[in-house]
Amino acid sequence: MGIKTKHIVWTCVAVFLFLFSAELPIPVGVFVNWRHFTYLVNYKGVFYTNSPFAMLAFPFTGNADAGYLKGADFWSFHVLDDNWAKDKSHVWYQHYPVKGVDAATFQLGKNGIPKDKYHVFVNDLWYYSPSQCDIDPATAEYFVQQPTTFDYFTRKPKLEWVKEWMRDSKQVYFYEQRVDVDRATFRWLAGSRYDGQGKWYVDRNYVYTPRGSRPPYELVRLDSLREPLEVIPIFYDEKEKPDTLYHASYYLRNGNHILYSNGY
């Protein structure tokens, strides 16, 4: 099949999907942006799918109409990443509308932090809303990486920017609460590889751990930072080697002190 024939075939497929896909039990469509496989369009409108395969759209609702972006203007519609999109008047996280947002200035800032000219937006399960803290949107960023998932094929954790930690040019915020840490040197040290809850954080002066049974957690200062600093990991598999800080780490050697934390 020649290149010209292939183009004709794919064009026909795209036209069919655009015209008739909305009538199928589970809607399919063509990608709005071919670099992102989550936002699609058919004649009924723009919709979001949480699957790389359009035919598997909306398995989480059982309602085919639930994923359509109500009021979306296709001609100004812009996909920002796999989970964020906007048009001239609206912003969506997946297919959930973001309220209180200035669509014209909305962007994903440094390390993916959602913000507009006036606010930083924080997550409450599925919905994003303007933060109630006094963080400066112009300089706001995510800055702490932790393992939030574990890849069982590579046997390594996947590091992601965690949304509970934010900072601007002056302060650090943990679950929107300002915390007294050194902004420039504060970092995640070690913690559970499965749930992503960091057990240990450090800056140039102190050792910290989060505590609480559910978010928002409290950040507790445990000790002055000392040398040597060594995580004492717990291993669940005899084949694992003690060469990573990504395991559950309830004990920390801090100089001649042994610190303990289980997050509660």
Side-chain angles (χ1 to χ4, degrees), residues 1-242:
M1 185 182 294
I3 295 178
K4 185 176 181 180
T5 304
K6 287 183 179 180
H7 286 171
I8 294 174
V9 170
W10 281 113
T11 300
C12 292
V13 170
V15 170
F16 172 82
L17 290 175
F18 186 84
L19 292 177
F20 300 106
S21 57
E23 304 306 323
L24 298 174
I26 297 178
V28 294
V30 294
F31 298 122
V32 176
N33 184 325
W34 287 83
R35 292 182 298 176
H36 303 285
F37 300 153
T38 50
Y39 289 97
L40 296 91
V41 62
N42 53 39
Y43 85 87
K44 195 173 181 179
V46 178
F47 66 93
Y48 171 86
T49 170
N50 64 342
S51 168
F53 305 100
M55 285 298 292
L56 299 180
F58 319 122
F60 52 89
T61 64
N63 180 358
D65 288 333
Y68 279 97
L69 279 56
K70 296 181 180 179
D73 175 56
F74 177 75
W75 302 109
S76 63
F77 191 82
H78 180 55
V79 180
L80 302 176
D81 73 1
D82 287 346
N83 290 302
W84 288 93
K86 73 174 188 175
D87 66 12
K88 63 182 180 180
S89 304
H90 310 87
V91 174
W92 292 271
Y93 172 71
Q94 298 182 356
H95 64 278
Y96 301 99
V98 179
K99 296 182 179 180
V101 62
D102 179 50
T105 62
F106 181 85
Q107 62 176 301
L108 297 181
K110 188 171 182 181
N111 302 326
I113 190 168
K115 62 181 184 177
D116 63 16
K117 182 179 180 180
Y118 309 100
H119 305 99
V120 168
F121 293 83
V122 294
N123 178 254
D124 180 13
L125 191 59
W126 296 110
Y127 298 96
Y128 275 80
S129 58
S131 172
Q132 300 303 306
C133 68
D134 59 352
I135 189 170
D136 173 34
T139 58
E141 63 179 359
Y142 295 140
F143 73 106
V144 173
Q145 282 186 303
Q146 291 179 210
T148 54
T149 57
F150 187 78
D151 191 328
Y152 286 93
F153 292 100
T154 63
R155 304 291 295 173
K156 294 180 180 180
K158 296 176 66 176
L159 290 177
E160 296 181 9
W161 300 105
V162 288
K163 298 175 176 59
E164 59 262 33
W165 287 104
M166 304 183 295
R167 71 180 179 186
D168 58 19
S169 60
K170 297 180 180 179
Q171 303 289 339
V172 172
Y173 299 84
F174 184 46
Y175 287 101
E176 298 188 80
Q177 301 297 315
R178 186 183 297 180
V179 290
D180 184 19
V181 300
D182 181 69
R183 177 196 175 281
T185 61
F186 184 84
R187 63 185 178 91
W188 169 79
L189 178 63
S192 170
R193 70 183 184 184
Y194 295 106
D195 59 16
Q197 293 297 329
K199 295 298 188 296
W200 302 105
Y201 298 88
V202 297
D203 62 16
R204 64 182 180 182
N205 299 313
Y206 298 102
V207 177
Y208 307 87
T209 189
R211 286 183 179 170
S213 58
R214 59 177 60 88
Y217 301 105
E218 177 188 6
L219 187 69
V220 178
R221 180 186 295 174
L222 291 184
D223 199 2
S224 298
L225 186 65
R226 307 167 191 269
E227 294 291 343
L229 183 66
E230 178 187 3
V231 172
I232 305 173
I234 297 174
F235 299 102
Y236 300 100
D237 187 335
E238 293 181 356
K239 297 179 181 180
E240 294 175 353
K241 298 180 181 179

